[in-house]
Amino acid sequence: MQTGNTIFLGLGGATPHTTSKPYGWSKSLLSIFSFCLGCLLFSHATRYLGALRRSTVVSSFLFQTLIIFTAAAVVQGGAVDGALTTIEDDIDWWTMIPIALLSFQSAGQIVGSRALNLSEIPTVVVTSMLHDIATDQKLLAGLGENVKRNRRLCAFLGILIGAIAGGFIAEGAERMQIPLWIAGGVKLGVTMAWMVWPEKRRLPV
């Protein structure tokens, strides 16, 4: 996600007078800053509270859920114009609010995957995931023989299907907040799943 933002930031800063969106780079800059801040805070909180404690995981995902709902509420309440046509405009400074919120919460996802030792699912980076799938020496192994490949494939398909579904929903509703409410609902479901997830007990030494 931040790879694209870095490119847009560089291009926007280099060609401010030859583009129809001279301030578009500011969105990318804010997204990068918010993501880095989120990584910093989520990682410190996770280490302090205990990365593998159920209460830590549930609290992290619940906080992410609330942030998504807040972003959706900001658009729903009219502070930000949720019409898809506004994407063609140069910049509406109020759109910085949901951008910052969503970038911040996305940091919680990747911090969570690292804390749970699921580095094969970065959740926000597709490029490295596709590389790992294509170069996996056991790519064609049976379903029960390569768990990491299975996770990567499911993660990629989940991102792809989610993007397609979100696009159709937004296009049909002609409003950006609808996919945000749905995304928040999905993450709330994940949060509730963590509440009842079976505990992995350590074998005695």
Side-chain angles (χ1 to χ4, degrees):
M1 183 175 69
Q2 300 309 327
T3 301
N5 279 322
T6 301
I7 298 301
F8 285 129
L9 175 61
L11 292 175
T15 59
H17 303 297
T18 58
T19 177
S20 60
K21 300 180 180 180
Y23 296 104
W25 59 268
S26 59
K27 296 180 181 179
S28 297
L29 177 61
L30 178 64
S31 179
I32 294 172
F33 174 80
S34 300
F35 179 78
C36 291
L37 179 62
C39 288
L40 176 67
L41 297 180
F42 272 106
S43 62
H44 278 280
T46 297
R47 283 194 292 266
Y48 178 77
L49 297 174
L52 297 180
R53 293 181 61 185
R54 185 188 303 274
S55 58
T56 301
V57 177
V58 171
S59 297
S60 175
F61 276 79
L62 180 60
F63 186 45
Q64 295 171 47
T65 301
L66 294 176
I67 292 176
I68 296 177
F69 282 151
T70 301
V74 168
V75 181
Q76 186 76 44
V80 175
D81 189 351
L84 295 183
T85 53
T86 58
I87 297 177
E88 301 175 0
D89 299 336
D90 178 19
I91 189 170
D92 175 4
W93 295 105
W94 286 104
T95 60
M96 295 298 206
I97 299 175
I99 289 175
L101 291 171
L102 294 174
S103 295
F104 183 87
Q105 74 82 30
S106 69
Q109 294 182 181
I110 194 166
V111 169
S113 71
R114 295 293 191 270
L116 295 169
N117 295 319
L118 297 173
S119 57
E120 66 269 20
I121 311 177
T123 74
V124 294
V125 182
V126 174
T127 304
S128 61
M129 196 175 351
L130 290 176
H131 165 271
D132 293 339
I133 292 173
T135 59
D136 193 333
Q137 294 182 352
K138 297 181 179 180
L139 178 61
L140 301 180
L143 286 177
E145 299 176 13
N146 195 340
V147 176
K148 289 188 176 182
R149 176 212 54 195
N150 298 342
R151 290 171 178 167
R152 292 187 184 109
L153 286 173
C154 289
F156 173 73
L157 291 175
I159 293 173
L160 178 62
I161 294 172
I164 294 173
F168 274 113
I169 294 170
E171 189 72 21
E174 297 184 350
R175 309 293 296 181
M176 289 184 288
Q177 65 265 34
I178 305 300
L180 291 178
W181 287 116
I182 295 175
V186 171
K187 182 152 284 190
L188 179 60
V190 174
T191 303
M192 296 176 67
W194 281 123
M195 294 180 181
V196 296
W197 197 267
E199 181 181 356
K200 185 177 182 180
R201 298 184 180 277
R202 297 181 180 180
L203 296 176
V205 179

